[in-house]
Each structure stands twice: as structure tokens, then as C-alpha cells.
């Protein structure tokens, strides 16, 4: 008899498995339908011995010391600040848009102060910033919006930015200085030996039994367990009874080139040309030294594994229907990017899992009578 059946061995499932096993001394069966742990953060060595990310580039960044310290129990780190160029009008320029982006693109020599005025002259006044178009157009104006955001977003999401919640393009700031880092978080590191090694260390515990290539449907009525943590798509758990929640997918094309370097930074974005959105060269991220180099091209797609929840008001409404069902489901706790239908980064998922663990401790004191207690944890994890 397991105390917990945890569905999904990504960040949400693996962080919780470790906490429950270590802190509550409970027995955990951690399953994943894929043939590996790590969820979308899984990395592996390719045939040439290059470390690649199977599901596209994963760069760890956070402002939370608590989250960084927690993961530091399972890995050493390599300092890495991510830089991205966008290929626009035949040039490769920094994204997020900064002083150098505008000066290079328009052959100008503006100062930071002058750039503020330059943006102000172009920015459109918008009453209520609602959509992903509003965010950009109201900051840098329509021309830069069209060059950098419109095409990329249409490719990535199959939707116009005007149809997407403002939170999507808000992920990418605009700067008037020369800072060309993609993120400005206090902690920006890659796990020194890769994500998979970090996950292996996290779940290697005598109380945790890991089974890959195992679907929830195959074991739920077979393996005795007291409670479930479910980190898969929430609509799938409820047999799509209100209809499918849209998730955006990607096709990854992994390529190895017989030369040491392909591009000058970790990622190059293609907002105006190509069917792919971006190209990643892993050696920039991993620091690996190798005579060859490994790249991944990302082709967005409506079909395939669910990678991105799609932030739109009507999708959120549909999610809320499933959320209500989840809240009424005893002994199943819904956690993670797919189960809570939020466009969360890895650190946010670790934070959500740690918060869920604290709430489990409150709802189910160790050794006490554990009749079901329904708790709703704000707008993030769903607990029962
Ligand atoms: P997942 O990693 O999706 O894990 C869920 C697991 O559940 C999966 O392995 C799945 O196989 C399994 N599962 C689902 N249903 C079942 C079932 N019925 N039975 C058994 N197993 C099941 N975040 C960052 O912080 N930085 C980045 O640079 C970054 N880049 C990204 C790039 C891409 C292309 C993508 C798609 C995401 C990126 N992210 C990044 C986000 C990051 O991947 C997620 O925040 C994180 O992986 C979510 O963890 P999770 O455990 O919630 O979900
Ligand atoms: N985006 C864009 N052009 C870019 C970079 C980002 O239009 O050059 C938009 C696009 O809609 C994208 C979103 O901003 O999906 C968030 O970008 P981010 O790099 O955070 O995406 P992720 O790494 O999560 O795929």
C-alpha cells in the first residue's frame, strides 16, 4: 500500500515525492507515462555525447532564495545568464528590445534618455491593457510590435496577439539601457550536471518507487494507494467532460553539426521568417566543450504533447469548470503547469509544489486521523 500515487515525474511530482518521502516518511509511487523522469525539463546526451534538452531550452531563473536553496540540495550549479538575439530585417539584434536593438535596427546613436522619448512618440495610448498586443503597442509602438512580436506570436500560438492575454508578451520586457540579458532574476544558473541528474538525486530515496512508461489509467485501479497527486492535464483526468482544454504543442527538431559553434548566443528567435520560432545551441547553456554542436529547432503545432496552456479568457473559464470538479474530488491534489493550467516557469512550479506540501501538512497532520479536508490554495494548487 502506497501513501501516495504521484502522476507525473516533472518538477511538480518529483519535488512533492521527495518532500513526502523525506519529511513525512511516507511511501510514494511516482509514475510517468514517458520513458524518463524530469518532465519537460528532461535532458540527455545525444549520440555524439552532447547534452541536449529533449523538450526545448530550459533555463533556470528565480528571485526566490527559498526555491533556489531547495533545488541546491540536489545539484551544484553553473552560472549562466541567458542572451537571445532576434533576426529582424536581416540583422540579429537583442531581444528584449533595448538601446542597442533600436540603434542597430535604425542606424541611430540614441542615448537611454533619448530612447525613452523615441518610445513615447511611438507608443499608442490604450485605455485598458488587456491583450498581448496592447502591452507591446502601448510601450514601443506598432512598428516594433510588428517586427518582433506579431509574427512570432502568431507562429508560436496560432493566434494573433490581440487574442491572447496580456500576460504572454508581458514576459518579455522593454529596456532603455544596454542590458541584453533575457532575464534579470537574482539567481540564474543551470544545474551543473544537467536537469536529469538533479531529478535522479531528488527522487532517489528508499520510500520512493519510480515507474516510467506507466500511465495513470493503467495503475489507478491496480496499485493500492491512499491519495493521489496528479500533475497531468486536468481535462484528461476528467475525461474531457466539458470539452478539451486547448494546449499548444511544439515539434522539436534536434540537429548536430560537425563544427564547434553555430550561433553567437544560446537562442536566436525568428519573428519574421522561417516556420520555426527559435533555434537553441546548447553548448552556450551547458558550458560543454565539444568539437561538434547540438541545436534544436522549435516548430509550433496544434497537435502533439501538451506544452503550453493558452492564456485566453474563455480557456480560463473552461479551466474553472474543471477546477470546481477537482475541488470536489476527495484525496486527489492537482499540481503543476498542466493540472492548474497556468503558464508557469520551473521555479514557479517548484514554489507551487512546496506550498502544496505545506498545505498537505496542515490538512493531514502526520499520524492524525486523516479524513478528507477540502482546501483551496488561492488560485494556484488545488488540494483536497
Ligand atoms: P511537466 O514537466 O509537464 O510534467 C508532467 C509530467 O506528467 C509529464 O512528464 C507527463 O508525461 C506526465 N503525465 C501526464 N499525464 C500522465 C498520466 N496520465 N500518467 C502518467 N504520467 C503522466 N521554464 C523555465 O523556468 N525556464 C525555461 O527556460 C523554460 N523553457 C521551456 C521551454 C519549453 C519548450 C517548454 C514547453 C516549457 C519551458 N519551461 C521553462 C516551463 C517548464 O517546462 C515547466 O514549468 C515545468 O516543466 C512544469 O513542470 P510540471 O511538473 O508541472 O509539468
Ligand atoms: N515573443 C515574441 N517575440 C519574441 C519573443 C517572445 O513575440 O522574440 C512573445 C511570444 O508570444 C512568446 C511570448 O512572448 O510566446 C513569451 O516569450 P518567452 O520567451 O517567455 O516564451 P517561452 O520561452 O515560454 O516559450
Amino acid at each position: 500500500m502506497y501513501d501516495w500515487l504521484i502522476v507525473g515525474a516533472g518538477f511538480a511530482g518529483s519535488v512533492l515525492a521527495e518532500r513526502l518521502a523525506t519529511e513525512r516518511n511516507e511511501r510514494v509511487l511516482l509514475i510517468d507515462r514517458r520513458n524518463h523522469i524530469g518532465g519537460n525539463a528532461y535532458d540527455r546526451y545525444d549520440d555524439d555525447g552532447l547534452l541536449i534538452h529533449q523538450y526545448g531550452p530550459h533555463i533556470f531563473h528565480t528571485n526566490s532564495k527559498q526555491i533556489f536553496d531547495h533545488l541546491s540540495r540536489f545539484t551544484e550549479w553553473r552560472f549562466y545568464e541567458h542572451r537571445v538575439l532576434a533576426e529582424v530585417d536581416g540583422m540579429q539584434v537583442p531581444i528584449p528590445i533595448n538601446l542597442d536593438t533600436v540603434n542597430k535596427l535604425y542606424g541611430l546613436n540614441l542615448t537611454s534618455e533619448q530612447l525613452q522619448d523615441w518610445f513615447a512618440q511611438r507608443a499608442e495610448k490604450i485605455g485598458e491593457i488587456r491583450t498581448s498586443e496592447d502591452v507591446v503597442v502601448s510601450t514601443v509602438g506598432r512598428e516594433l510590435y510588428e517586427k518582433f512580436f506579431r509574427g512570432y506570436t502568431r507562429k508560436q500560438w496560432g493566434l494573433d496577439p490581440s487574442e491572447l492575454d496580456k500576460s504572454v508578451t508581458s514576459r518579455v520586457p522593454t529596456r532603455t539601457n544596454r542590458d541584453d540579458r533575457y532575464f534579470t532574476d537574482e539567481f540564474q544558473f543551470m544545474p551543473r550536471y544537467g536537469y536529469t541528474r538533479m531529478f535522479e538525486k531528488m527522487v532517489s530515496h528508499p520510500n520512493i518507487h519510480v515507474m516510467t512508461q506507466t500511465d495513470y489509467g493503467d495503475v489507478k485501479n491496480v496499485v493500492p494507494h491512499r491519495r493521489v497527486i496528479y500533475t497531468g492535464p486536468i481535462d484528461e483526468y476528467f475525461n474531457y467532460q466539458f470539452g478539451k482544454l486547448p494546449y499548444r504543442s511544439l515539434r522539436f527538431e534536434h540537429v548536430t553539426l560537425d563544427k564547434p559553434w553555430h550561433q553567437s548566443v544560446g537562442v536566436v528567435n525568428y519573428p519574421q521568417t522561417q516556420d520555426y520560432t527559435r533555434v537553441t545551441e546548447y553548448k552556450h547553456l551547458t558550458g560543454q566543450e565539444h568539437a561538434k554542436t547540438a541545436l534544436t529547432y522549435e516548430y509550433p503545432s496544434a497537435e502533439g504533447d501538451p506544452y503550453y496552456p493558452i492564456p485566453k479568457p474563455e480557456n480560463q473559464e473552461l479551466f474553472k469548470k474543471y477546477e470546481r470538479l477537482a475541488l470536489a474530488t476527495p484525496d486527489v491534489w492537482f499540481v503543476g503547469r498542466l493540472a492548474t493550467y497556468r503558464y508557469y516557469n520551473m521555479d514557479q512550479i517548484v514554489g507551487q509544489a512546496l506550498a502544496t506540501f505545506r498545505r498537505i501538512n496542515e490538512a493531514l497532520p502526520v499520524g492524525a486521523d486523516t479524513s478528507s479536508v477540502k482546501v483551496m490554495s488561492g488560485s494556484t494548487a488545488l488540494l483536497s
Side-chain angles (χ1 to χ4, degrees), residues 83-294:
R83 287 182 168 78
V84 179
L85 295 174
E87 190 162 296
V88 170
D89 297 349
M91 285 176 251
Q92 293 200 345
V93 292
I95 174 92
I97 294 170
N98 70 11
L99 181 60
D100 290 323
T101 311
V102 173
N103 279 338
K104 190 165 175 193
L105 211 53
Y106 292 97
L108 298 171
N109 201 8
L110 302 177
T111 63
S112 283
E113 260 193 1
Q114 288 169 326
L115 180 59
Q116 283 174 34
D117 294 340
W118 196 91
F119 282 151
Q121 280 158 22
R122 285 158 181 80
E124 291 181 13
K125 291 213 167 33
I126 292 172
E128 189 200 350
I129 310 280
R130 235 175 5 89
T131 72
S132 269
E133 175 183 305
D134 297 343
V135 175
V136 184
V137 166
S138 66
T139 314
V140 298
R142 198 154 289 272
E143 189 167 305
L144 287 176
Y145 159 74
E146 279 173 4
K147 286 186 193 298
F148 286 86
F149 287 90
R150 186 149 189 259
Y152 188 104
T153 301
R154 290 173 75 103
K155 236 192 305 191
Q156 168 73 7
W157 300 94
L159 294 169
D160 192 81
S162 60
E163 300 172 276
L164 273 172
D165 188 83
K166 64 180 178 196
S167 58
V168 176
T169 52
S170 300
R171 290 167 62 88
V172 184
T174 303
R175 305 201 180 111
T176 51
N177 59 20
R178 304 190 60 197
D179 189 347
D180 64 347
R181 295 171 304 162
Y182 206 66
F183 309 111
T184 51
D185 299 53
E186 191 176 340
F187 304 96
Q188 303 191 40
F189 295 93
M190 298 291 289
R192 181 170 287 281
Y193 307 106
Y195 288 96
T196 302
R197 282 277 288 274
M198 177 177 78
F199 277 97
E200 281 166 0
K201 202 159 170 208
M202 197 182 297
V203 303
S204 130
H205 188 288
N207 290 349
I208 302 175
H209 182 190
V210 180
M211 279 171 68
T212 52
Q213 290 180 284
T214 304
D215 197 283
Y216 179 49
D218 297 338
V219 293
K220 65 179 177 190
N221 298 321
V222 181
V223 177
H225 57 277
R226 298 172 74 197
R227 298 189 179 83
V228 174
I229 287 168
Y230 181 83
T231 76
I234 190 168
D235 55 342
E236 184 183 333
Y237 182 90
F238 292 108
N239 296 318
Y240 310 104
Q241 58 183 272
F242 300 127
K244 278 200 160 195
L245 264 173
Y247 294 91
R248 190 70 173 161
S249 192
L250 292 169
R251 181 171 64 80
F252 301 101
E253 199 174 293
H254 303 298
V255 175
T256 301
L257 301 180
D258 200 1
K259 60 178 184 181
W261 292 104
H262 173 68
Q263 58 194 34
S264 61
V265 289
V267 168
V268 177
N269 286 355
Y270 291 85
Q272 291 175 325
T273 56
Q274 317 298 352
D275 291 338
Y276 45 82
T277 47
R278 59 185 178 188
V279 179
T280 300
E281 183 170 31
Y282 291 105
K283 281 164 66 180
H284 292 284
L285 281 55
T286 59
Q288 188 175 9
E289 289 179 20
H290 199 291
K292 297 186 180 183
T293 193

Side-chain angles (χ1 to χ4, degrees), residues 308-378:
Y308 292 84
I310 305 178
K312 281 179 74 170
E314 56 265 45
N315 298 350
Q316 199 50 33
E317 264 171 41
L318 180 54
F319 166 70
K320 288 279 166 203
K321 286 192 182 175
Y322 284 113
E323 185 183 45
R324 279 194 286 278
L325 280 188
L327 285 166
T329 306
D331 295 326
V332 185
W333 306 55
F334 293 81
V335 192
R337 174 151 143 151
L338 302 172
T340 61
Y341 201 68
R342 303 233 164 204
Y343 187 0
Y344 275 153
N345 293 327
M346 295 181 281
D347 65 318
Q348 294 171 302
I349 297 295
V350 175
Q352 194 191 51
L354 294 176
T356 303
F357 178 68
R358 287 193 291 274
R359 292 185 186 110
I360 287 174
N361 274 338
E362 283 161 22
L364 308 168
V366 184
D369 171 29
T370 51
S371 51
S372 301
V373 182
K374 293 218 185 317
V375 185
M376 164 97 185
S377 69

Side-chain angles (χ1 to χ4, degrees), residues 42-59:
Y42 170 70
D43 55 12
R44 64 174 171 88
Y45 288 89
D46 70 6
D47 292 344
D48 289 291
L50 283 152
L51 184 58
I52 66 164
H53 297 185
Q54 174 105 341
Y55 306 100
H58 279 70
I59 295 110

